[in-house]
Amino acid sequence: MNWDIVKGKWKQMTGAVREKWGELTEDEVAQMDVDRDQLVGKLQERYGWTKNEAEREVDDYFRDKV
C-alpha cells in the first residue's frame, strides 16, 4: 500500500476513518496529520489491540480505499 496516496486523500477520508473506527474523535483524526504510526497507536489505545492487530486493520482498510 502506498501511504503517499492516503496522504493525498486524507481530508476526504477523515469522515470514513471516523465511521470505521467510531471510538476516534474528530480532533484525534485531525491531529494525526496523516501519520500511519499515530493512527496505529490511537487504535491500540482505544480498542486494546496489539500493534500487529492495529497495523493489519489500518493496512486492510486503506488497501481497499486507495
Side-chain angles (χ1 to χ4, degrees), residues 36-49:
R36 180 182 178 274
D37 291 334
Q38 286 183 9
L39 177 56
V40 166
K42 209 41 102 165
L43 291 174
Q44 286 179 265
E45 179 184 312
R46 290 283 186 248
Y47 291 95
W49 295 335

Side-chain angles (χ1 to χ4, degrees), residues 1 3 20-21 36-62:
M1 174 188 55
W3 197 251
K20 169 73 175 165
W21 297 296
R36 180 182 178 274
D37 291 334
Q38 286 183 9
L39 177 56
V40 166
K42 209 41 102 165
L43 291 174
Q44 286 179 265
E45 179 184 312
R46 290 283 186 248
Y47 291 95
W49 295 335
T50 65
K51 184 175 182 178
N52 287 338
E53 288 172 320
E55 287 175 334
R56 190 173 330 117
E57 280 280 324
V58 168
D59 290 344
D60 289 349
Y61 179 73
F62 285 106

